[in-house]
Amino acid sequence: MAKTDAFDSDPTAIAKAKELKREMKKLLMNMEEEDGLSVQTIDHLQEALSAFKQATMRKMARSSSLEMLETVSCPEEFRCPLSKELMRDPVVLASGQTYDKLFIQKWLSSGNRTCPKTQQVLPHTALTPNLLIRDMISKWCKTVGLETTTYQSSLVDEEKAVTRSDREIFNSLLCKLSSSNLQDQKSAAKELRRLTKKGTEFRALFGESSDNITRLVNPLLLHGSTLNQDEQLQEDVITTLLNVSIHDDSNKKLVCENANVIPLLIDALRRGTVATRSNAAATVFTLSALDSNKALIGKSGILKPLIDLLEEGNPSAIKDAAAAIFTLCIAHENRSRAVKDGAVRVLGKKISDGLYVDELLAILAMLVTHWKAVEELGELGGVTWLLRITRESECKRNKENAIVILHTICFSDRTKWKEIKEEESSHGTITKLAREGTSRAQRKANGILDRLRKAMNLTHTA
C-alpha cells in the first residue's frame, strides 16, 4: 500500500491523514449498508473530504515551494556557515558572525568556545537575533515566490538538526555499502562509524527506517561466514550499530527488531576481533536498556556467547560482557537462561579469584533466585568466598550482594548452616553487618541470624 501522500513525514500529520481515511472509509461503508443516507452522514462525509482536500492542497503548495528552493540560487550571505543552508533564525555570535540559531547552539553545546568561521575565542556565548538579515531573507523569499514557513519547516528537523546535505551524504554512503566492491563497503562503513560517533544527525537518520539498518549490515550478510568477512569491515559495522543504538529508545527498538541484527551480534561475539566482540557486547547492553528488548534478545541465545566472552577474561571486553548480562538478567526469564548457559560457574570462578568482583557479584545476586544457581554455588564452595567478601571487603555494595546470596543459600540449603555459624562464632561477621551494613544488607543479615537462632533452639529442644 502506498504511503499517505497528502501529508509530509511529520508523525502528527501522518496520523491525521490516516484518521481522515478511516473516517471516509467508514462513511462509505455506511452508504453501502443503508438504504438512504442521513443528512448527518452526508455532512460528515463532506467535512472529511474538505479536510482531505485542504491537506492535499497544502502538500502541493509545499512541494512547489521546495522545488523552487532547489532551483533558485540563495544569496551566500543568507546561508549559515555551518549548515550551508538558508537561515531560518539568524543570530549574531560574539565574534560578529551570523549563524542559524539551531546550528550555532549545537556547536556551543558541544563544548566549543570559538567562532566556527574565524576561530576567534569567544568572550561570551550570548546570541543576538539578527533582525536585519531575517527581514532581508523574508523579503527575498517573497521576491522569488518562496513561502517562509515552507523553507523553515523543510530544511532541518528542529531537534535532530539534520540538513539536506547530511541526508545526501547519508544516502551516498548507504549506496556505497550496497556496492559489490569491498573497498567501497569498507570506506563507507568507516565513515558512517565516524559520523555516528561524532554527532546525533546520522544516528537520527538511521532511526528513520528499519531499511537503513538493513542496508548498514548488508555487507556482513553478503559475505556470509565470518571466515570470509573483512575484520575491519565487521568492526566498523558493529560499532556503527552501537552508535545508532545509543541515540534514543526509538532507535533501540528499531535496531533490535531488525531480523538481521541479533544474529550478526551473536556471530560477532563468537568470532570477531577483541574490539568487535567488546563493541558487540556494548551494543547488547545498550539495546537491552529498553525493557521490551530484554526478552527478545534473551531468547535469541545470545547469553551463551556473552558468558563465553566473560570467561575468556579479556580486560577490554569483560566489563562490556558483564554489563550486557546484568541488564538482560533484570528480566526474570533471562536468569534461568543464564544459569542454564553456565553463568554461575564462570561468575563463581572469577569472583573467587578476586577478579571484577563488583560487577560479577551483582549479577550473581540476581541469578541466585534460581534454585539451580544455589545448588551450583554449594558445589563450587561459594559460601567460603562469600563469607570472606562479607568479612573483608571495604565496598558496602559488595558486602550487600554477598549477604543477599548467603541469605538465599541459608534458606535453601541447611547443609551450609554449619559453615555460616562457624564464621559468626569466630568473627561476628553477620552481626557486624546487621549493625553497619546498608539497609538491605541489615535486613538480610538479621534474617540469617534469626534463622540460625531458630535452628539452635530447635536443636536444644530436641
Side-chain angles (χ1 to χ4, degrees):
M1 182 176 176
K3 292 183 179 179
T4 304
D5 60 359
F7 289 80
D8 57 22
S9 59
D10 178 67
T12 305
I14 292 172
K16 181 64 176 174
K18 289 180 178 178
E19 182 184 339
L20 285 170
K21 283 192 172 182
R22 281 196 300 269
E23 186 177 351
M24 286 190 289
K25 186 176 180 181
K26 183 180 177 181
L27 291 169
L28 289 170
M29 287 176 65
N30 288 339
M31 287 174 62
E32 292 178 357
E33 293 172 0
E34 297 176 9
D35 292 333
L37 287 176
S38 67
V39 174
Q40 186 178 14
T41 301
I42 294 172
D43 287 343
H44 283 164
L45 185 58
Q46 285 180 333
E47 289 173 6
L49 285 169
S50 176
F52 207 78
K53 178 182 177 181
Q54 290 176 11
T56 304
M57 291 175 68
R58 284 197 300 270
K59 176 67 176 180
M60 291 171 64
R62 185 180 292 110
S63 298
S64 176
S65 294
L66 287 176
E67 289 172 5
M68 175 73 74
L69 180 57
E70 290 174 358
T71 56
V72 175
S73 178
C74 169
E76 197 59 35
E77 61 269 25
F78 295 167
R79 294 182 185 274
C80 173
L82 288 171
S83 69
K84 308 302 181 186
E85 302 284 358
L86 182 63
M87 289 185 284
R88 62 176 188 162
D89 190 4
V91 292
V92 181
L93 198 59
S95 62
Q97 299 295 320
T98 297
Y99 297 90
D100 202 342
K101 184 177 180 180
L102 178 63
F103 292 93
I104 193 59
Q105 280 183 332
K106 185 180 175 185
W107 168 268
L108 297 172
S109 297
S110 299
N112 297 298
R113 289 297 176 268
T114 58
C115 172
K117 192 171 183 179
T118 66
Q119 298 303 307
Q120 175 187 338
V121 176
L122 301 171
H124 60 80
T125 57
L127 302 174
T128 306
N130 192 329
L131 300 178
L132 176 61
I133 290 293
R134 180 184 294 179
D135 185 53
M136 290 171 67
I137 290 174
S138 179
K139 289 178 179 177
W140 176 81
C141 287
K142 289 178 181 177
T143 301
V144 299
L146 177 66
E147 293 184 20
T148 54
T149 54
T150 299
Y151 88 78
Q152 286 179 347
S153 63
S154 64
L155 287 178
V156 295
D157 180 307
E158 186 153 347
E159 293 183 0
K160 301 169 185 173
V162 176
T163 66
R164 285 186 306 187
S165 175
D166 291 334
R167 194 175 297 279
E168 288 169 2
I169 293 170
F170 179 70
N171 289 330
S172 173
L173 290 171
L174 288 184
C175 286
K176 285 182 71 175
L177 275 176
S178 301
S179 165
S180 58
N181 184 288
L182 178 60
Q183 291 306 314
D184 282 348
Q185 293 175 354
K186 289 177 67 174
S187 64
K190 183 178 181 179
E191 182 65 5
L192 283 169
R193 175 180 179 174
R194 184 187 71 82
L195 290 170
T196 52
K197 178 184 178 181
K198 179 183 173 184
T200 61
E201 304 93 335
F202 289 85
R203 298 178 206 163
L205 284 167
F206 270 111
E208 290 182 351
S209 168
S210 181
D211 183 57
N212 292 338
I213 305 299
T214 301
R215 293 174 72 184
L216 169 65
V217 301
N218 192 55
L220 302 187
L221 300 173
L222 288 174
H223 292 293
S225 168
T226 306
L227 294 173
N228 299 322
Q229 284 178 5
D230 182 276
E231 290 183 347
Q232 189 60 53
L233 174 63
Q234 185 187 36
E235 181 183 329
D236 288 337
V237 169
I238 294 298
T239 308
T240 302
L241 275 177
L242 170 61
N243 295 340
V244 172
S245 302
I246 288 169
H247 186 63
D248 59 18
D249 286 351
S250 177
N251 273 23
K252 289 178 178 63
K253 183 176 174 63
L254 192 75
V255 170
C256 192
E257 291 181 354
N258 186 293
N260 301 300
V261 169
I262 295 178
L264 287 174
L265 288 175
I266 291 174
D267 191 60
L269 285 167
R270 285 176 175 158
R271 290 184 285 270
T273 63
V274 172
T276 300
R277 298 174 79 191
S278 179
N279 287 340
T283 305
V284 175
F285 165 67
T286 302
L287 293 174
S288 59
L290 199 62
D291 286 342
S292 61
N293 286 348
K294 288 182 175 70
L296 184 63
I297 297 172
K299 67 183 181 182
S300 69
I302 208 167
L303 278 161
K304 184 64 171 72
L306 284 170
I307 293 166
D308 291 343
L309 184 58
L310 195 67
E311 185 173 21
E312 289 177 23
N314 190 292
S316 63
I318 196 167
K319 289 197 174 185
D320 288 319
I325 295 168
F326 178 86
T327 310
L328 284 171
C329 287
I330 291 172
H332 286 270
E333 62 266 36
N334 287 334
R335 297 178 190 182
S336 60
R337 293 177 178 129
V339 172
K340 182 182 177 182
D341 288 335
V344 175
R345 179 186 59 80
V346 174
L347 293 169
K349 181 68 170 63
K350 296 287 183 189
I351 295 170
S352 64
D353 291 341
L355 301 172
Y356 304 97
V357 175
D358 298 11
E359 297 87 352
L360 305 189
L361 202 57
I363 300 173
L364 196 57
M366 287 197 294
L367 298 186
V368 80
T369 56
H370 193 278
W371 66 270
K372 195 172 186 303
V374 176
E375 187 179 277
E376 286 188 46
L377 277 173
E379 295 169 357
L380 292 166
V383 171
T384 302
W385 44 262
L386 286 166
L387 286 170
R388 185 178 69 245
I389 292 170
T390 307
R391 180 177 66 252
E392 298 177 358
S393 177
E394 295 181 0
C395 175
K396 285 193 171 185
R397 186 60 62 193
N398 286 350
K399 286 178 178 286
E400 177 187 307
N401 284 325
I403 202 69
V404 165
I405 300 168
L406 284 167
H407 180 272
T408 304
I409 292 173
C410 184
F411 278 74
S412 305
D413 185 357
R414 60 189 301 165
T415 65
K416 306 303 176 188
W417 289 359
K418 181 181 177 182
E419 188 174 356
I420 297 173
K421 281 192 288 185
E422 288 175 353
E423 172 73 24
E424 180 60 19
S425 298
S426 302
H427 303 284
T429 302
I430 313 297
T431 299
K432 185 177 180 181
L433 196 60
R435 291 197 310 263
E436 301 174 1
T438 64
S439 58
R440 187 184 182 207
Q442 288 178 13
R443 289 196 308 273
K444 298 299 181 181
N446 281 315
I448 292 174
L449 292 171
D450 186 52
R451 184 74 169 183
L452 294 178
R453 279 193 294 269
K454 287 180 178 178
M456 290 178 65
N457 290 338
L458 287 172
T459 302
H460 290 312
T461 303

